[in-house]
Amino acid sequence: MIRRLAISALLIFTATASADPFVAGNAAAAHGDHATAATSFERTLAERGWSTNALFDLGNAYASTGQRGLAILAYERALVLSPRDTAVATNLAHTREAAGIAQPMTSRTHAQLSRLSSDEWTWIALAAVLLAAAAMSARAWWPSQRRRTGAVAVFGAAIAVLGFGAALEVAPARSAAVVVHPDTARIAPVAGAEEAFPASEGETVQIEQQRSDYVYVRDGDRYGWLPAHALERVLPERAPAHT
Amino acid sequence: MKYSLVAAAALGALALPTFAFAGARAQLAGSLAAGQPAQLDVTVDGEVSGAPDVHVPGARVQLNGQMSSTQIVNGASSQQTKFIYSVVPDAAGELDIPAISVATSTGAQTTAPIHATVSSSPRPSPSPFSGSVGASPAPATTNAAAPTGRVIQSSPHAFITLDVPTHKLVVGQAVPVTIRAYFRAGTSATLDGAPHLTTDAFTLSNLSDKPAQTQVQLRGEPYLQATWTALLSPAKPSTGKLAVELPVELAYRAAPRPAQHRTMRDIFGADPFGDAFGSDSPFGDSDPFGAMDMDIDSMFDIGPMQQEQVTLRGPTSTVTVIEPPDAGKPADYSGAVGAFSLSVDPPTGTPRVGEPLTLAFHVTGTGNFDRVTGIALADATGMKTYPAKADFVAGTTPLTGTKTFTQTIVPTRAGTVEVPAATFSYFDPAKHAYVTAHTAPLSLTVVASPGGGAADPGLAASVREPGMLPNRVDPGEPHAELMPLVDRASTWLGVAGILAATILAILIAWSRRSHRIASVLASRRVDREVARATEAMQRAADQADPVAFFSAARTALQTRLASTWHTRADAITAHDVAARLGDRGETIREVFEHADGMAYGAPTTEPLEYWDGIVRAELAHLEVSP
């Protein structure tokens, strides 16, 4: 009797746990079933929304199945949410290296500004906007304090401008996309057009324009048309991406 | 790689500082052979009146030229003159060059006598500096054929040295060495390659791309010195000869041969001025060339230009290389030789289960850092480790620097986690013993991850590739949008809303301030008009003019009432006052009626001073409580 009860409880517990795709994904990953894990983590994102940890685990699953383009995409998206996450950066760098993709070069200014995320910079800028606005209002209502409130308003406005500038600098370009399926970029948006350059899996390119099933991309100083299905934008048009 | 080094004799002599002793000295350049010219230099410090006479028993001596240089140091000038002679021994055997006396402005200076041996057959000239510059003396000429020309260990024109700090090395050890090539002033040298070693038992690395060039004086002779620095590493145990070679193309002027001496008579066949002027020569008996059998080449201190490709080979030195001893060799010894220290930077922040931490191990010191490897921790209880990455920062001097090994560890359980000590073993050649450096063990207090669950040790399998960090057990905080705030329209709408609200607040404040200001200004205007009217009352009272007095009094009262009633002042009548103020306006109404009556000549019984007080009291009353 006791044994039956225990087995029943275990089954209920397992079913409950399996209902959580994130738990199921980790269970599959722990057993080396990375394809199932990837599907579960995709479900997690679709049901719960974006999260650094789910994207990180999804990247691990894709990297373990050899889908390095999708892995790099997941890590890139995780870094959008948590730019200081060293584990994500470590696995992204490792996956890029394994894929033979050069690590992106960033300026010193960009590296310094990236100590805060784009959203953090935006919040700072918004707080500065509020400060400047309050100071401007106070200046109008209490003219006797106009010098002090004026200084605060100028300070707030300057911080706001710097904050928004930093946020724009740190934020990934909306046109950034990762090659998730290796293909050949061509000089025209037709299948038989002359080759422009090979687009390796995991490479990050910039989308210049889109025309039906093809997108015109820039990879450094190279340009070409790639099939739309070969790319996935880092910042998807819809959120969450896999709903 | 080809470098040209031109040591110009005259420039060198002018530019070089003089380290030689003051006085006079003689120097024989090259060895002596019967019938072959050798160069004898007589250098004198100070002003000289003329070339000294040199007589050498058993040899012909001829003055070939002279060079003078003046050096100014801190405003003090010094002069040096060098006389260059060619000496041609008559026969083999011993040759004594006696002391040479030179007359200078400070008195006669005398050189030391020179004893030399004259060989029977001509041979290449050994270096005049043999045994003084190189590590081993008496360089011998080698005529071994080489692709870049004959191999010479030294010549009067060039030679090379290799400075090795120690002659006992350990396999794996690296020592800084200095290679110096010397080119005598007046010699043009073109390097046909970089310096290299004569044996493959050693390797030369980090050789400087371009040699540092400087001018030096060796035994009174100006030389151009080219210096390379490099690291010397023994490749295997050996006891062998070590020397350095440098392929170079030399161009220099050889000492003039007696048979080639040409005089003015040789050139013109006769004295060019002897016959042209006959007995009427403008020089009289002082024909400038007729009395001279002058050597034209010696006038310019030159011989024929010679050019040859040679390989300079430096003095050979013996270096013993031994293997580090097997006895006492630590298991983790990786071949590092030198003197090092090991330290660790503990991780920053609060250690959490499942979150990676970074440990940085620093190896600092002197030695072969390329063999400093493998400093990392292995998996231990409560933590998983990942391969370390190395980064080397060179120091200011060769072989020094810091190599940093950065390793990621992930705590796998909450509580106290002991991070074991890291070790690093190397061979210290100074102590001739192995040394093992340790870091101090660390104790980490690990807290549970935000998700509350401890990392499953099985998650190490969640990544297939080594070096990657495993999955996280906490799904983390979800975000509805991945798009950064700055790229969302809602953010900019919010900013626009804040700005709009601010503008609205400013406008309201401005509006309210405008009303208040208008009110104050109107009040001030009324005060001014009332003041003018009361002044007119005062004047009228002084002049006993009741008509003007009551007119002014009425105006003052009307103005004050108009500011309160917000109507025109001249439109206010006694009737209005009675209607609005009732009994309280009785006095004002009387003033108005008196003003009307005065216009038609009606008299007043009270004196104007009485009415002045009444009106002022009413005005004050109206100002306080209208």
Side-chain angles (χ1 to χ4, degrees), chain B residues 173-253:
Chain B
Q173 187 178 2
V175 291
V177 295
T178 306
I179 300 165
R180 294 186 181 91
Y182 295 88
F183 303 96
R184 188 172 148 182
T187 301
S188 170
T190 302
L191 303 187
D192 288 333
H196 57 268
L197 300 175
T198 56
T199 172
D200 60 357
F202 297 85
T203 58
L204 207 57
S205 60
N206 292 25
L207 184 70
S208 44
D209 291 338
K210 291 183 178 178
Q213 298 180 35
T214 183
Q215 289 184 315
V216 298
Q217 193 123 2
L218 300 175
R219 291 201 171 183
E221 286 283 348
Y223 274 79
L224 183 73
Q225 174 185 289
T227 305
W228 291 264
T229 56
L231 296 179
L232 180 72
S233 305
K236 55 190 177 185
S238 65
T239 300
K241 305 291 185 185
L242 175 66
V244 65
E245 288 184 343
L246 178 67
V248 64
E249 183 178 305
L250 299 176
Y252 52 87
R253 295 191 182 280

Side-chain angles (χ1 to χ4, degrees), chain A residues 22 25-26 29-30 32 34 41 48-57 60-61 63-65 68 75 77 80-81 85-88 90-91 94-95 97-98 118-119 122-123 126 129-130 133 136-137 140-141 143 164 167-168 171-172 174 234-236 239-240, chain B residues 354-358 389 408 450 456-489 491-492 494-496 498-499 501-510 512-513 516:
Chain A
F22 186 77
N26 265 326
H34 302 292
F41 293 134
R48 294 186 180 178
W50 305 104
S51 87
T52 304
N53 291 359
L55 285 165
F56 176 74
D57 290 356
N60 284 353
S64 297
T65 57
R68 294 198 174 100
Y75 293 137
R77 287 173 172 173
V80 173
L81 296 174
D85 195 315
T86 54
V88 177
T90 299
N91 283 12
H94 195 283
T95 308
E97 190 177 338
S118 176
D119 284 0
T122 305
W123 283 119
L126 286 173
V129 166
L130 275 173
M136 288 294 291
S137 300
W141 283 87
F164 281 125
L168 288 168
R174 298 184 75 159
V234 175
L235 300 177
Chain B
E355 291 191 0
L357 302 170
T358 301
K389 289 186 175 177
T408 299
D456 181 354
L459 284 181
S462 62
V463 283
R464 184 168 287 171
E465 305 206 16
M468 290 184 68
L469 298 168
N471 281 12
R472 289 169 176 172
V473 294
D474 173 22
E477 183 189 354
H479 298 258
E481 293 234 22
L482 190 62
M483 190 73 71
L485 282 173
V486 74
D487 285 335
R488 295 184 205 168
T491 302
W492 297 104
V495 172
I498 293 171
L499 293 178
T502 305
I503 292 170
L504 186 64
I506 290 171
L507 285 175
I508 292 171
W510 180 77
R512 293 189 59 153
R513 275 183 58 207
R516 203 162 59 235

Side-chain angles (χ1 to χ4, degrees), chain B residues 339-343 362-366 424 426 437:
Chain B
F340 304 96
S341 63
L342 176 64
S343 63
H362 305 288
V363 179
T364 305
T366 305
F424 163 61
Y426 60 94

Side-chain angles (χ1 to χ4, degrees), chain B residues 31-42:
Chain B
S31 61
L32 297 175
Q36 295 298 317
Q39 183 172 315
L40 175 67
D41 297 339
V42 178

Side-chain angles (χ1 to χ4, degrees), chain A residues 109-129:
Chain A
T109 306
H110 185 91
Q112 294 292 333
L113 293 176
S114 296
R115 290 169 183 267
L116 295 181
S117 71
S118 176
D119 284 0
E120 288 164 339
W121 281 115
T122 305
W123 283 119
I124 289 173
L126 286 173
V129 166

Side-chain angles (χ1 to χ4, degrees), chain B residues 44-62:
Chain B
V44 186
D45 296 323
E47 285 187 34
V48 294
S49 54
D53 288 327
V54 178
H55 298 283
V56 179
R60 287 176 290 144
V61 180
Q62 184 168 345

